[in-house]
Amino acid sequence: MAQKTEQPEKDQIGKKGTSQNKQQSKAKAKQHAKILQREQQEKTLAAMQAAAKDVNGYEITSVFIRDEEYIIYEIKTDYLSDSFKIYIHTKQEKDISGITRRFEAITVYYAEFKSILYKVKDPHTYKTRAALL
């Protein structure tokens, strides 16, 4: 009789081990996906340089500011108000550093800046100063 009760316990341990292995495999796969995403982000941001194409296919004419999670740049276009671009790609899905939250807080000012850009005599200098804010 004792052998019969031990057998189900062994089966339960085996099931728990299998379940733990699946969880570990999922965790490893998720971690690997995050690493690949981070590497892709770094490649994308590194590739965004003057004379190169941005993620939307526009030619970049100037880069004002570059960081690990964002880039502020100028593209070649006929419309001056569309030439100032900001590309944000946070390292983590949940924006712990608050870059996206801070950008959302200044979206109104960004739109206003773009709307008056055509009035400026030297737009490149004005864009550079705005990027530093």
Side-chain angles (χ1 to χ4, degrees), residues 22-33:
K22 286 181 182 179
Q23 289 175 349
Q24 288 174 351
S25 295
K26 285 181 181 180
K28 285 180 183 179
K30 190 174 182 179
Q31 184 67 23
H32 183 66

Side-chain angles (χ1 to χ4, degrees), residues 56-112:
N56 296 316
Y58 295 108
E59 182 181 342
I60 299 172
T61 58
S62 184
V63 174
F64 300 112
I65 293 192
R66 175 187 306 276
D67 196 278
E68 293 179 344
E69 297 182 305
Y70 66 91
I71 183 170
I72 300 174
Y73 61 99
E74 179 180 36
I75 62 167
K76 185 177 184 177
T77 182
D78 293 336
Y79 302 103
L80 187 60
S81 62
D82 290 337
S83 63
F84 193 72
K85 298 291 183 186
I86 299 174
Y87 178 77
I88 299 172
H89 195 314
T90 57
K91 287 185 176 181
Q92 299 179 5
E93 287 182 36
K94 294 180 182 175
D95 187 21
I96 293 172
S97 64
I99 290 173
T100 306
R101 182 177 34 84
R102 291 193 310 262
F103 178 71
E104 288 171 355
I106 64 157
T107 301
V108 173
Y109 303 111
Y110 177 66
E112 182 181 337

Side-chain angles (χ1 to χ4, degrees), residues 13-67:
I13 292 171
K15 288 179 184 178
K16 286 181 185 178
T18 303
S19 177
Q20 287 175 350
N21 288 343
K22 286 181 182 179
Q23 289 175 349
Q24 288 174 351
S25 295
K26 285 181 181 180
K28 285 180 183 179
K30 190 174 182 179
Q31 184 67 23
H32 183 66
K34 285 182 181 182
I35 291 170
L36 290 176
Q37 179 187 8
R38 210 173 298 134
E39 289 174 356
Q40 182 61 36
Q41 173 191 353
E42 290 171 4
K43 287 178 186 178
T44 300
L45 288 173
M48 294 177 74
Q49 300 178 8
K53 302 277 184 184
D54 72 356
V55 293
N56 296 316
Y58 295 108
E59 182 181 342
I60 299 172
T61 58
S62 184
V63 174
F64 300 112
I65 293 192
R66 175 187 306 276
D67 196 278

